[in-house]
């Protein structure tokens, strides 16, 4: 990036740690839902890798759908405004729904989607987040399944981006900057 800053990636969560966190979440979900059919709603793009690993561990019948919500502009600051740019396509009426998110930060994105999905009268609606920045909440939002709480760091990797870069990294890093 040409902003006079140098960006550094610092390892935060290794592949092995991610695998064990994801397996732990899948086990909890399997225990709670049993053989009930579950609709997983993955929030694009950040949660795509998490979803794909998570579903491989689930034994119950699942349906998978995707929603895309934009809250971040370019860079590391959120605008606070949420817009839905791709809605889900399956019907969730009367169904058990689990929102799958990469990180909860201010809480706005997940809250927005949860309220919106609730209008379709699902049987239940819960939230599973790989990472949770609890200290940064602007609105009330408690996830039902949380992989790991993280400090107020900007993280990338394992689906999570910085200006669309780094989503492919198999580990999770936090970004630090120094002046060039
Ligand atoms: P919230 O609406 O403020 O909770 O923001 C959640 C969204 O912001 C997530 O879906 C992420 O896409 C993005 N986000 C929050 N923290 C980070 C981060 O540390 N790195 C990259 N994206 C982030
Ligand atoms: Mg996201």
């Amino acid at each position: 990036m040409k902003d006079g800053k140098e960006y550094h990636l610092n390892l935060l969560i290794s592949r092995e740690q991610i695998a064990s966190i994801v397996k732990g979440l899948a086990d909890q979900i399997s225990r709670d839902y049993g053989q009930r059919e579950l609709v997983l709603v993955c929030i694009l793009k950040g949660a795509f890798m998490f979803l794909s690993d998570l579903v491989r561990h689930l034994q119950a019948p699942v349906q998978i759908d995707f929603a895309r919500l934009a809250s971040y502009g370019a860079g590391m600051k959120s605008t606070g405004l949420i817009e839905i740019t791709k809605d889900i396509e399956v019907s969730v009426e009367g169904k058990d729904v689990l929102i799958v998110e990469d990180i909860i930060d201010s809480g706005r994105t997940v809250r927005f989607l949860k309220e919106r999905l609730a209008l379709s009268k699902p049987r239940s609606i819960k939230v599973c987040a790989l990472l949770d920045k609890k200290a940064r909440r602007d609105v009330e939002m408690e996830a039902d399944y949380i992989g790991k709480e993280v400090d107020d760091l900007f993280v990338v990797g394992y689906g999570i981006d910085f200006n669309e870069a780094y989503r492919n990294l198999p580990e999770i890093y936090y970004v630090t900057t120094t002046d060039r």
Side-chain angles (χ1 to χ4, degrees):
M1 237 146 288
K2 297 186 180 64
D3 54 6
K5 283 203 165 69
E6 212 163 303
Y7 291 81
H8 308 273
L9 299 190
N10 313 273
L11 184 65
L12 183 65
I13 314 177
S14 70
R15 296 180 200 210
E16 293 75 20
Q17 287 171 312
I18 294 171
S20 119
I21 289 167
V22 173
K23 176 70 166 64
L25 289 170
D27 288 348
Q28 286 179 52
I29 293 165
S30 298
R31 253 198 320 274
D32 291 354
Y33 290 91
Q35 283 305 305
R36 267 153 62 195
E37 193 186 3
L38 188 57
V39 181
L40 298 172
V41 176
C42 171
I43 305 187
L44 294 172
K45 301 175 195 174
F48 82 94
M49 207 178 276
F50 174 40
L51 174 90
S52 72
D53 283 341
L54 187 72
V55 292
R56 276 178 257 211
H57 295 294
L58 297 179
Q59 314 299 321
V62 296
Q63 287 183 16
I64 295 170
D65 208 345
F66 299 89
R68 174 121 170 85
L69 297 125
S71 67
Y72 267 54
M76 297 203 212
K77 289 239 164 60
S78 172
T79 57
L81 290 171
I82 313 290
E83 60 171 335
I84 184 148
T85 54
K86 188 225 168 289
D87 210 343
I88 59 164
E89 291 159 30
V90 303
S91 162
V92 297
E93 190 180 338
K95 303 205 181 133
D96 290 307
V97 175
L98 184 62
I99 295 174
V100 178
E101 174 62 315
D102 54 358
I103 310 184
I104 305 182
D105 187 22
S106 72
R108 287 177 201 280
T109 303
V110 169
R111 198 161 106 157
F112 179 90
L113 183 62
K114 203 176 169 186
E115 283 172 359
R116 196 185 155 101
L117 292 177
L119 300 175
S120 305
K121 306 265 180 290
R123 179 170 185 265
S124 71
I125 177 158
K126 287 189 178 181
V127 175
C128 173
L130 179 64
L131 304 177
D132 191 354
K133 294 187 190 173
K134 278 225 166 89
R136 302 231 332 144
R137 277 309 186 283
D138 287 340
V139 298
E140 207 177 301
M141 181 65 238
E142 260 314 313
D144 302 275
Y145 304 95
I146 296 164
K148 190 175 163 61
E149 254 190 68
V150 291
D151 295 333
D152 184 7
L153 299 165
F154 194 85
V155 302
V156 296
Y158 196 67
I160 303 164
D161 76 307
F162 174 39
N163 288 344
E164 296 300 327
Y166 309 124
R167 291 193 198 273
N168 58 308
L169 301 177
E171 304 84 14
I172 294 173
Y173 297 82
Y174 65 95
V175 182
T176 51
T177 58
T178 48
D179 290 327
R180 234 190 275 273

